[in-house]
Amino acid sequence: MGERQETVISLELEERYSRQILFDGIGPEGQRKLRSASAALVGCGATGSTLASLLARAGVGRMRIIDRDYVESSNLQRQSLFDEADARESLPKAMAAARKLSALNSEIVIEPQVADLTPTNIDALLEGAPLILDGTDNFETRYLINDFAVKNSRTWIYTAAVGSYGLTMNIVPGQTACLACVFPDPPQGMVETCENRGILNSAAHLAASLAATEAIKVLVGAGQQLRRSLLSFDLWSNQRAEVRADQPRLGCRACDRREFPHLGGEGRPHITLCGRNSVQIHERHRPVDLARMSQLLKPHGTVRYNDFVLKFWREPYEMTLFPDGRAIIKGTTDTAVARSLYARYIGN
Ligand SMILES: [Zn+2]
């Protein structure tokens, strides 16, 4: 009886994945590897939704999904795992994603984690994940992931999209360049974000599709097929670029000098609670042009500014921004929410 049931299940599995098993690069052996594989996804927005959905449908056995945000209606244009009911209920993205993914594939295990990835919890949250996928929207978290991955020899895949532009790079510590090899320092000054520059859903989905394919290569053991470059594209202007990243850079602080300042919290804005219902973000290295920022924020709420300060109201929050990048966010005492709002509207 048990044996018979076993046969039925494995036939169902074969049917479910039959088109993928027919593909030479995967085959039955690759499919078995996917079933016992695990990965962690940090951030489940536009690129994260697509990554998670493709990998769940492909049969990756276990996925941990870490996200600090809640679903909003402005997400629905591109974040393909969420629907109007999720936005109405303001569900945490990790929970909404887990629900949707389990409905897409009940044979895999999804571990949702509603959390802000920080130097304090990164060891626990990424524990046991041989592959880390980047679905984040900010450099602060990416440099943190990069330090963790290089230090612990874990493969991670950098993926980003804004406007009509997307890019992705595979980081295999010891073999390829890392994020700090290519960009030694996080960008300074104003950074483009989906909120201040907008985004085409197709750009995010393409970047994530490329990354998901690379993830599958890693998980089925087709490492020799991995792309070893930073690939970028602009879908609106039809431009494409590829920068070689096939070996660690001599002198890289992470790969070569083994310095991991982001794991110690360096490079993160210092955040303090201030007053009864507000949080202060002490940025010192992000000069902001208040006139330009006011133009970018206008579509998202009410903005007023002078030479010294900019005020931005978006229910239920009020943000006060200073020219040196410091901000006070009223309407929350949750530092993760404040960090997320800052990353979204001001950039980081
Ligand atoms: Zn490096």
Side-chain angles (χ1 to χ4, degrees):
M1 198 48 194
E3 200 173 291
R4 196 194 146 125
Q5 210 163 1
E6 183 61 35
T7 321
V8 173
I9 291 168
S10 69
L11 281 178
E12 272 175 8
L13 273 181
E14 273 180 27
E15 177 59 22
R16 173 189 281 262
Y17 303 115
S18 58
R19 305 306 188 270
Q20 183 169 289
I21 291 170
L22 277 173
F23 175 70
D24 271 347
I26 295 184
E29 187 51 34
Q31 194 62 50
R32 269 191 289 278
K33 284 184 178 157
L34 288 179
R35 201 200 303 185
S36 55
S38 68
L41 169 66
V42 184
C44 196
T47 50
S49 277
T50 301
L51 278 163
S53 160
L54 291 174
L55 296 179
R57 287 177 190 276
V60 172
R62 185 176 282 270
M63 261 192 291
R64 189 169 306 153
I65 296 182
I66 304 152
D67 193 283
R68 64 188 179 187
D69 269 327
Y70 296 81
V71 182
E72 293 176 77
S73 66
S74 66
N75 301 152
L76 303 181
Q77 165 255 1
R78 63 195 178 283
Q79 302 186 13
S80 58
L81 281 180
F82 311 126
D83 59 32
E84 291 179 359
D86 300 329
R88 265 197 308 276
E89 293 169 43
S90 298
L91 279 185
K93 288 183 183 176
M95 303 311 292
R99 197 155 80 178
K100 213 61 54 83
L101 293 167
S102 301
L104 296 178
N105 191 343
S106 58
E107 288 157 359
I108 60 172
V109 178
I110 305 290
E111 298 170 12
Q113 293 282 350
V114 182
D116 185 23
L117 192 78
T118 66
T120 317
N121 63 19
I122 190 167
D123 285 316
L125 286 173
L126 297 183
E127 196 220 330
L131 174 66
I132 303 161
L133 302 165
D134 167 22
T136 70
D137 57 1
N138 65 84
F139 277 102
E140 183 185 336
T141 312
R142 289 187 183 115
Y143 279 92
L144 178 63
I145 295 172
N146 189 68
D147 273 6
F148 175 87
V150 174
K151 185 178 178 200
N152 297 289
S153 275
R154 308 273 183 87
T155 296
W156 78 281
I157 302 180
Y158 164 42
T159 312
V162 67
S164 54
Y165 179 77
L167 76 173
T168 178
M169 179 169 89
N170 304 317
I171 290 125
V172 187
Q175 294 183 31
T176 70
C178 81
L179 186 64
C181 287
V182 182
F183 307 112
D185 297 302
Q188 301 294 310
M190 283 171 66
V191 177
E192 291 175 332
T193 74
C194 296
E195 270 66 26
N196 67 29
R197 213 192 122 192
I199 182 164
L200 290 183
N201 53 20
S202 49
H205 286 223
L206 178 55
S209 286
L210 293 167
T213 315
E214 299 299 303
I216 286 179
K217 292 179 192 174
V218 172
L219 298 176
V220 302
Q224 71 287 357
Q225 301 292 337
L226 274 184
R227 200 191 61 254
R228 284 158 202 271
S229 65
L230 171 70
L231 175 63
S232 63
F233 55 81
D234 188 319
L235 291 178
W236 206 254
S237 64
N238 306 310
Q239 287 169 331
R240 235 167 61 92
E242 217 171 339
V243 178
R244 267 181 60 178
D246 56 354
Q247 50 187 342
R249 176 174 57 81
L250 212 65
C252 169
R253 87 172 150 68
C255 300
D256 195 14
R257 304 208 307 269
R258 308 291 296 168
E259 293 166 11
F260 306 108
H262 297 272
L263 290 176
E266 207 175 289
R268 291 171 73 77
H270 182 52
I271 296 188
T272 51
L273 296 178
C274 70
R276 232 160 32 97
N277 190 27
S278 50
V279 172
Q280 181 163 196
I281 299 189
H282 307 259
E283 268 277 12
R284 283 150 300 179
H285 308 292
R286 188 179 297 283
V288 177
D289 177 342
L290 298 181
R292 169 136 170 75
M293 186 54 80
S294 108
Q295 289 301 317
L296 296 172
L297 290 174
K298 226 174 238 166
H300 304 288
T302 310
V303 195
R304 268 195 241 134
Y305 76 98
N306 56 31
D307 287 347
F308 313 103
V309 69
L310 176 150
K311 285 247 185 200
F312 171 55
W313 290 268
R314 183 182 164 88
E315 285 297 320
Y317 307 108
E318 176 191 311
M319 189 186 296
T320 307
L321 180 67
F322 301 93
D324 61 358
R326 185 167 61 90
I328 295 172
I329 294 163
K330 228 187 222 172
T332 183
T333 50
D334 186 335
T335 53
V337 169
R339 196 189 295 283
S340 165
L341 287 165
Y342 192 92
R344 235 191 286 171
Y345 292 108
I346 313 304
N348 82 24

PDB file of all heavy atoms in Angstrom, residues 189-190 283-291 293 305-310 320-327 342 346:
ATOM      1  N   GLY A 189      25.310  60.195  -1.892  1.00  0.00           N
ATOM      2  CA  GLY A 189      24.393  61.201  -2.424  1.00  0.00           C
ATOM      3  C   GLY A 189      23.050  60.592  -2.748  1.00  0.00           C
ATOM      4  O   GLY A 189      22.681  59.548  -2.215  1.00  0.00           O
ATOM      5  N   MET A 190      22.322  61.222  -3.649  1.00  0.00           N
ATOM      6  CA  MET A 190      20.981  60.746  -3.939  1.00  0.00           C
ATOM      7  C   MET A 190      21.028  59.490  -4.794  1.00  0.00           C
ATOM      8  O   MET A 190      21.778  59.384  -5.739  1.00  0.00           O
ATOM      9  CB  MET A 190      20.180  61.835  -4.650  1.00  0.00           C
ATOM     10  CG  MET A 190      19.718  62.896  -3.677  1.00  0.00           C
ATOM     11  SD  MET A 190      19.013  64.319  -4.480  1.00  0.00           S
ATOM     12  CE  MET A 190      17.568  63.591  -5.209  1.00  0.00           C
ATOM     13  N   GLU A 283      21.978  60.166   9.140  1.00  0.00           N
ATOM     14  CA  GLU A 283      22.869  59.957   8.004  1.00  0.00           C
ATOM     15  C   GLU A 283      23.838  61.129   7.981  1.00  0.00           C
ATOM     16  O   GLU A 283      23.440  62.263   8.159  1.00  0.00           O
ATOM     17  CB  GLU A 283      22.063  59.942   6.696  1.00  0.00           C
ATOM     18  CG  GLU A 283      21.611  58.573   6.283  1.00  0.00           C
ATOM     19  CD  GLU A 283      22.698  57.810   5.549  1.00  0.00           C
ATOM     20  OE1 GLU A 283      23.858  58.261   5.571  1.00  0.00           O
ATOM     21  OE2 GLU A 283      22.376  56.769   4.958  1.00  0.00           O
ATOM     22  N   ARG A 284      25.104  60.833   7.703  1.00  0.00           N
ATOM     23  CA  ARG A 284      26.063  61.941   7.665  1.00  0.00           C
ATOM     24  C   ARG A 284      26.695  62.124   6.303  1.00  0.00           C
ATOM     25  O   ARG A 284      27.365  63.083   6.041  1.00  0.00           O
ATOM     26  CB  ARG A 284      27.165  61.743   8.702  1.00  0.00           C
ATOM     27  CG  ARG A 284      26.728  62.053  10.110  1.00  0.00           C
ATOM     28  CD  ARG A 284      27.480  61.207  11.084  1.00  0.00           C
ATOM     29  NE  ARG A 284      27.238  59.789  10.821  1.00  0.00           N
ATOM     30  CZ  ARG A 284      27.786  58.811  11.509  1.00  0.00           C
ATOM     31  NH1 ARG A 284      28.643  59.077  12.456  1.00  0.00           N
ATOM     32  NH2 ARG A 284      27.499  57.561  11.227  1.00  0.00           N
ATOM     33  N   HIS A 285      26.479  61.155   5.420  1.00  0.00           N
ATOM     34  CA  HIS A 285      27.210  61.207   4.157  1.00  0.00           C
ATOM     35  C   HIS A 285      26.294  61.195   2.961  1.00  0.00           C
ATOM     36  O   HIS A 285      26.614  60.644   1.937  1.00  0.00           O
ATOM     37  CB  HIS A 285      28.177  60.030   4.053  1.00  0.00           C
ATOM     38  CG  HIS A 285      29.063  59.906   5.243  1.00  0.00           C
ATOM     39  ND1 HIS A 285      30.026  60.824   5.534  1.00  0.00           N
ATOM     40  CD2 HIS A 285      29.095  58.974   6.221  1.00  0.00           C
ATOM     41  CE1 HIS A 285      30.639  60.456   6.660  1.00  0.00           C
ATOM     42  NE2 HIS A 285      30.082  59.347   7.093  1.00  0.00           N
ATOM     43  N   ARG A 286      25.093  61.736   3.116  1.00  0.00           N
ATOM     44  CA  ARG A 286      24.164  61.663   2.006  1.00  0.00           C
ATOM     45  C   ARG A 286      23.574  63.040   1.736  1.00  0.00           C
ATOM     46  O   ARG A 286      22.431  63.307   2.055  1.00  0.00           O
ATOM     47  CB  ARG A 286      23.054  60.667   2.308  1.00  0.00           C
ATOM     48  CG  ARG A 286      22.156  60.391   1.129  1.00  0.00           C
ATOM     49  CD  ARG A 286      21.107  59.376   1.487  1.00  0.00           C
ATOM     50  NE  ARG A 286      21.677  58.094   1.820  1.00  0.00           N
ATOM     51  CZ  ARG A 286      22.122  57.234   0.912  1.00  0.00           C
ATOM     52  NH1 ARG A 286      22.047  57.512  -0.354  1.00  0.00           N
ATOM     53  NH2 ARG A 286      22.629  56.092   1.288  1.00  0.00           N
ATOM     54  N   PRO A 287      24.420  63.963   1.178  1.00  0.00           N
ATOM     55  CA  PRO A 287      23.886  65.291   0.901  1.00  0.00           C
ATOM     56  C   PRO A 287      22.701  65.197  -0.045  1.00  0.00           C
ATOM     57  O   PRO A 287      22.746  64.481  -1.046  1.00  0.00           O
ATOM     58  CB  PRO A 287      25.060  66.034   0.259  1.00  0.00           C
ATOM     59  CG  PRO A 287      26.055  64.997  -0.095  1.00  0.00           C
ATOM     60  CD  PRO A 287      25.804  63.808   0.779  1.00  0.00           C
ATOM     61  N   VAL A 288      21.618  65.877   0.305  1.00  0.00           N
ATOM     62  CA  VAL A 288      20.395  65.801  -0.481  1.00  0.00           C
ATOM     63  C   VAL A 288      20.056  67.190  -1.014  1.00  0.00           C
ATOM     64  O   VAL A 288      20.123  68.172  -0.280  1.00  0.00           O
ATOM     65  CB  VAL A 288      19.231  65.300   0.400  1.00  0.00           C
ATOM     66  CG1 VAL A 288      17.933  65.279  -0.386  1.00  0.00           C
ATOM     67  CG2 VAL A 288      19.532  63.913   0.950  1.00  0.00           C
ATOM     68  N   ASP A 289      19.738  67.255  -2.300  1.00  0.00           N
ATOM     69  CA  ASP A 289      19.255  68.492  -2.901  1.00  0.00           C
ATOM     70  C   ASP A 289      17.747  68.559  -2.640  1.00  0.00           C
ATOM     71  O   ASP A 289      16.971  67.816  -3.244  1.00  0.00           O
ATOM     72  CB  ASP A 289      19.565  68.453  -4.407  1.00  0.00           C
ATOM     73  CG  ASP A 289      19.038  69.681  -5.135  1.00  0.00           C
ATOM     74  OD1 ASP A 289      18.164  70.376  -4.591  1.00  0.00           O
ATOM     75  OD2 ASP A 289      19.510  69.922  -6.264  1.00  0.00           O
ATOM     76  N   LEU A 290      17.359  69.431  -1.715  1.00  0.00           N
ATOM     77  CA  LEU A 290      15.969  69.425  -1.258  1.00  0.00           C
ATOM     78  C   LEU A 290      14.994  69.807  -2.373  1.00  0.00           C
ATOM     79  O   LEU A 290      13.874  69.305  -2.422  1.00  0.00           O
ATOM     80  CB  LEU A 290      15.798  70.334  -0.041  1.00  0.00           C
ATOM     81  CG  LEU A 290      16.597  69.925   1.208  1.00  0.00           C
ATOM     82  CD1 LEU A 290      16.321  70.898   2.356  1.00  0.00           C
ATOM     83  CD2 LEU A 290      16.293  68.496   1.640  1.00  0.00           C
ATOM     84  N   ALA A 291      15.420  70.715  -3.277  1.00  0.00           N
ATOM     85  CA  ALA A 291      14.532  71.130  -4.372  1.00  0.00           C
ATOM     86  C   ALA A 291      14.245  69.940  -5.291  1.00  0.00           C
ATOM     87  O   ALA A 291      13.095  69.655  -5.647  1.00  0.00           O
ATOM     88  CB  ALA A 291      15.176  72.259  -5.163  1.00  0.00           C
ATOM     89  N   MET A 293      14.662  66.741  -4.548  1.00  0.00           N
ATOM     90  CA  MET A 293      13.947  65.699  -3.795  1.00  0.00           C
ATOM     91  C   MET A 293      12.460  66.026  -3.717  1.00  0.00           C
ATOM     92  O   MET A 293      11.609  65.137  -3.797  1.00  0.00           O
ATOM     93  CB  MET A 293      14.562  65.575  -2.396  1.00  0.00           C
ATOM     94  CG  MET A 293      14.019  64.443  -1.560  1.00  0.00           C
ATOM     95  SD  MET A 293      14.091  62.798  -2.335  1.00  0.00           S
ATOM     96  CE  MET A 293      15.789  62.327  -2.070  1.00  0.00           C
ATOM     97  N   TYR A 305       9.230  72.616   1.229  1.00  0.00           N
ATOM     98  CA  TYR A 305      10.642  72.687   1.593  1.00  0.00           C
ATOM     99  C   TYR A 305      11.136  74.133   1.543  1.00  0.00           C
ATOM    100  O   TYR A 305      10.528  74.986   0.898  1.00  0.00           O
ATOM    101  CB  TYR A 305      11.481  71.826   0.642  1.00  0.00           C
ATOM    102  CG  TYR A 305      11.694  72.441  -0.723  1.00  0.00           C
ATOM    103  CD1 TYR A 305      12.878  73.137  -1.013  1.00  0.00           C
ATOM    104  CD2 TYR A 305      10.718  72.342  -1.708  1.00  0.00           C
ATOM    105  CE1 TYR A 305      13.065  73.706  -2.257  1.00  0.00           C
ATOM    106  CE2 TYR A 305      10.901  72.914  -2.952  1.00  0.00           C
ATOM    107  CZ  TYR A 305      12.075  73.600  -3.220  1.00  0.00           C
ATOM    108  OH  TYR A 305      12.253  74.179  -4.446  1.00  0.00           O
ATOM    109  N   ASN A 306      12.230  74.388   2.250  1.00  0.00           N
ATOM    110  CA  ASN A 306      12.982  75.635   2.088  1.00  0.00           C
ATOM    111  C   ASN A 306      14.459  75.242   2.042  1.00  0.00           C
ATOM    112  O   ASN A 306      14.769  74.079   1.803  1.00  0.00           O
ATOM    113  CB  ASN A 306      12.647  76.611   3.217  1.00  0.00           C
ATOM    114  CG  ASN A 306      12.907  75.994   4.590  1.00  0.00           C
ATOM    115  OD1 ASN A 306      13.808  75.164   4.738  1.00  0.00           O
ATOM    116  ND2 ASN A 306      12.117  76.367   5.578  1.00  0.00           N
ATOM    117  N   ASP A 307      15.347  76.185   2.244  1.00  0.00           N
ATOM    118  CA  ASP A 307      16.774  75.847   2.128  1.00  0.00           C
ATOM    119  C   ASP A 307      17.259  74.890   3.217  1.00  0.00           C
ATOM    120  O   ASP A 307      18.302  74.259   3.071  1.00  0.00           O
ATOM    121  CB  ASP A 307      17.627  77.125   2.218  1.00  0.00           C
ATOM    122  CG  ASP A 307      17.500  77.947   0.947  1.00  0.00           C
ATOM    123  OD1 ASP A 307      16.968  77.400  -0.047  1.00  0.00           O
ATOM    124  OD2 ASP A 307      17.911  79.120   0.948  1.00  0.00           O
ATOM    125  N   PHE A 308      16.519  74.802   4.304  1.00  0.00           N
ATOM    126  CA  PHE A 308      17.043  74.103   5.476  1.00  0.00           C
ATOM    127  C   PHE A 308      16.368  72.774   5.762  1.00  0.00           C
ATOM    128  O   PHE A 308      16.929  71.913   6.413  1.00  0.00           O
ATOM    129  CB  PHE A 308      16.899  74.998   6.717  1.00  0.00           C
ATOM    130  CG  PHE A 308      17.372  76.388   6.464  1.00  0.00           C
ATOM    131  CD1 PHE A 308      16.462  77.425   6.261  1.00  0.00           C
ATOM    132  CD2 PHE A 308      18.730  76.658   6.370  1.00  0.00           C
ATOM    133  CE1 PHE A 308      16.903  78.704   5.993  1.00  0.00           C
ATOM    134  CE2 PHE A 308      19.174  77.940   6.102  1.00  0.00           C
ATOM    135  CZ  PHE A 308      18.257  78.973   5.899  1.00  0.00           C
ATOM    136  N   VAL A 309      15.160  72.640   5.257  1.00  0.00           N
ATOM    137  CA  VAL A 309      14.401  71.457   5.649  1.00  0.00           C
ATOM    138  C   VAL A 309      13.330  71.138   4.607  1.00  0.00           C
ATOM    139  O   VAL A 309      12.830  72.036   3.920  1.00  0.00           O
ATOM    140  CB  VAL A 309      13.785  71.688   7.056  1.00  0.00           C
ATOM    141  CG1 VAL A 309      12.691  72.734   7.025  1.00  0.00           C
ATOM    142  CG2 VAL A 309      13.251  70.399   7.649  1.00  0.00           C
ATOM    143  N   LEU A 310      13.052  69.863   4.483  1.00  0.00           N
ATOM    144  CA  LEU A 310      11.957  69.434   3.608  1.00  0.00           C
ATOM    145  C   LEU A 310      10.989  68.617   4.460  1.00  0.00           C
ATOM    146  O   LEU A 310      11.411  67.780   5.271  1.00  0.00           O
ATOM    147  CB  LEU A 310      12.522  68.580   2.471  1.00  0.00           C
ATOM    148  CG  LEU A 310      11.535  67.947   1.470  1.00  0.00           C
ATOM    149  CD1 LEU A 310      12.221  67.801   0.102  1.00  0.00           C
ATOM    150  CD2 LEU A 310      11.014  66.585   1.905  1.00  0.00           C
ATOM    151  N   THR A 320      10.666  64.480   8.005  1.00  0.00           N
ATOM    152  CA  THR A 320      11.386  65.754   7.957  1.00  0.00           C
ATOM    153  C   THR A 320      12.808  65.425   7.529  1.00  0.00           C
ATOM    154  O   THR A 320      13.486  64.610   8.165  1.00  0.00           O
ATOM    155  CB  THR A 320      11.397  66.410   9.352  1.00  0.00           C
ATOM    156  OG1 THR A 320      10.041  66.485   9.807  1.00  0.00           O
ATOM    157  CG2 THR A 320      11.992  67.801   9.294  1.00  0.00           C
ATOM    158  N   LEU A 321      13.236  66.052   6.434  1.00  0.00           N
ATOM    159  CA  LEU A 321      14.528  65.686   5.853  1.00  0.00           C
ATOM    160  C   LEU A 321      15.441  66.909   5.835  1.00  0.00           C
ATOM    161  O   LEU A 321      15.013  68.007   5.471  1.00  0.00           O
ATOM    162  CB  LEU A 321      14.286  65.185   4.428  1.00  0.00           C
ATOM    163  CG  LEU A 321      15.491  64.748   3.608  1.00  0.00           C
ATOM    164  CD1 LEU A 321      16.120  63.485   4.196  1.00  0.00           C
ATOM    165  CD2 LEU A 321      15.064  64.472   2.157  1.00  0.00           C
ATOM    166  N   PHE A 322      16.701  66.706   6.237  1.00  0.00           N
ATOM    167  CA  PHE A 322      17.666  67.803   6.290  1.00  0.00           C
ATOM    168  C   PHE A 322      18.683  67.643   5.161  1.00  0.00           C
ATOM    169  O   PHE A 322      18.879  66.526   4.660  1.00  0.00           O
ATOM    170  CB  PHE A 322      18.347  67.803   7.660  1.00  0.00           C
ATOM    171  CG  PHE A 322      17.362  67.968   8.782  1.00  0.00           C
ATOM    172  CD1 PHE A 322      16.825  66.848   9.414  1.00  0.00           C
ATOM    173  CD2 PHE A 322      16.944  69.229   9.178  1.00  0.00           C
ATOM    174  CE1 PHE A 322      15.886  66.988  10.428  1.00  0.00           C
ATOM    175  CE2 PHE A 322      16.007  69.369  10.198  1.00  0.00           C
ATOM    176  CZ  PHE A 322      15.483  68.248  10.826  1.00  0.00           C
ATOM    177  N   PRO A 323      19.349  68.756   4.770  1.00  0.00           N
ATOM    178  CA  PRO A 323      20.246  68.681   3.604  1.00  0.00           C
ATOM    179  C   PRO A 323      21.406  67.688   3.753  1.00  0.00           C
ATOM    180  O   PRO A 323      21.950  67.223   2.760  1.00  0.00           O
ATOM    181  CB  PRO A 323      20.780  70.115   3.467  1.00  0.00           C
ATOM    182  CG  PRO A 323      19.775  70.964   4.160  1.00  0.00           C
ATOM    183  CD  PRO A 323      19.207  70.132   5.268  1.00  0.00           C
ATOM    184  N   ASP A 324      21.783  67.342   4.995  1.00  0.00           N
ATOM    185  CA  ASP A 324      22.880  66.371   5.157  1.00  0.00           C
ATOM    186  C   ASP A 324      22.384  64.927   5.110  1.00  0.00           C
ATOM    187  O   ASP A 324      23.153  63.988   5.292  1.00  0.00           O
ATOM    188  CB  ASP A 324      23.622  66.616   6.483  1.00  0.00           C
ATOM    189  CG  ASP A 324      22.717  66.465   7.696  1.00  0.00           C
ATOM    190  OD1 ASP A 324      21.500  66.209   7.519  1.00  0.00           O
ATOM    191  OD2 ASP A 324      23.226  66.597   8.826  1.00  0.00           O
ATOM    192  N   GLY A 325      21.075  64.748   4.878  1.00  0.00           N
ATOM    193  CA  GLY A 325      20.543  63.400   4.746  1.00  0.00           C
ATOM    194  C   GLY A 325      19.870  62.888   6.011  1.00  0.00           C
ATOM    195  O   GLY A 325      19.233  61.836   5.998  1.00  0.00           O
ATOM    196  N   ARG A 326      20.015  63.642   7.104  1.00  0.00           N
ATOM    197  CA  ARG A 326      19.357  63.203   8.338  1.00  0.00           C
ATOM    198  C   ARG A 326      17.847  63.321   8.174  1.00  0.00           C
ATOM    199  O   ARG A 326      17.366  64.210   7.474  1.00  0.00           O
ATOM    200  CB  ARG A 326      19.831  64.080   9.505  1.00  0.00           C
ATOM    201  CG  ARG A 326      19.328  63.674  10.862  1.00  0.00           C
ATOM    202  CD  ARG A 326      20.125  64.422  11.932  1.00  0.00           C
ATOM    203  NE  ARG A 326      19.953  65.874  11.788  1.00  0.00           N
ATOM    204  CZ  ARG A 326      18.980  66.562  12.394  1.00  0.00           C
ATOM    205  NH1 ARG A 326      18.091  65.943  13.149  1.00  0.00           N
ATOM    206  NH2 ARG A 326      18.910  67.869  12.246  1.00  0.00           N
ATOM    207  N   ALA A 327      17.111  62.434   8.817  1.00  0.00           N
ATOM    208  CA  ALA A 327      15.652  62.496   8.696  1.00  0.00           C
ATOM    209  C   ALA A 327      14.991  62.122  10.011  1.00  0.00           C
ATOM    210  O   ALA A 327      15.520  61.325  10.787  1.00  0.00           O
ATOM    211  CB  ALA A 327      15.181  61.547   7.609  1.00  0.00           C
ATOM    212  N   TYR A 342      12.793  55.260   4.583  1.00  0.00           N
ATOM    213  CA  TYR A 342      13.945  56.052   4.144  1.00  0.00           C
ATOM    214  C   TYR A 342      14.543  55.468   2.858  1.00  0.00           C
ATOM    215  O   TYR A 342      14.835  56.165   1.916  1.00  0.00           O
ATOM    216  CB  TYR A 342      14.991  56.091   5.255  1.00  0.00           C
ATOM    217  CG  TYR A 342      16.088  57.113   5.037  1.00  0.00           C
ATOM    218  CD1 TYR A 342      15.976  58.394   5.545  1.00  0.00           C
ATOM    219  CD2 TYR A 342      17.237  56.797   4.306  1.00  0.00           C
ATOM    220  CE1 TYR A 342      16.969  59.342   5.344  1.00  0.00           C
ATOM    221  CE2 TYR A 342      18.237  57.734   4.096  1.00  0.00           C
ATOM    222  CZ  TYR A 342      18.096  59.000   4.625  1.00  0.00           C
ATOM    223  OH  TYR A 342      19.080  59.940   4.415  1.00  0.00           O
ATOM    224  N   ILE A 346      14.041  58.133   0.031  1.00  0.00           N
ATOM    225  CA  ILE A 346      15.270  58.920  -0.081  1.00  0.00           C
ATOM    226  C   ILE A 346      16.346  58.095  -0.784  1.00  0.00           C
ATOM    227  O   ILE A 346      17.169  58.621  -1.509  1.00  0.00           O
ATOM    228  CB  ILE A 346      15.765  59.377   1.315  1.00  0.00           C
ATOM    229  CG1 ILE A 346      14.606  59.963   2.135  1.00  0.00           C
ATOM    230  CG2 ILE A 346      16.907  60.370   1.203  1.00  0.00           C
ATOM    231  CD1 ILE A 346      13.862  61.120   1.494  1.00  0.00           C
TER     232      ILE A 346
END
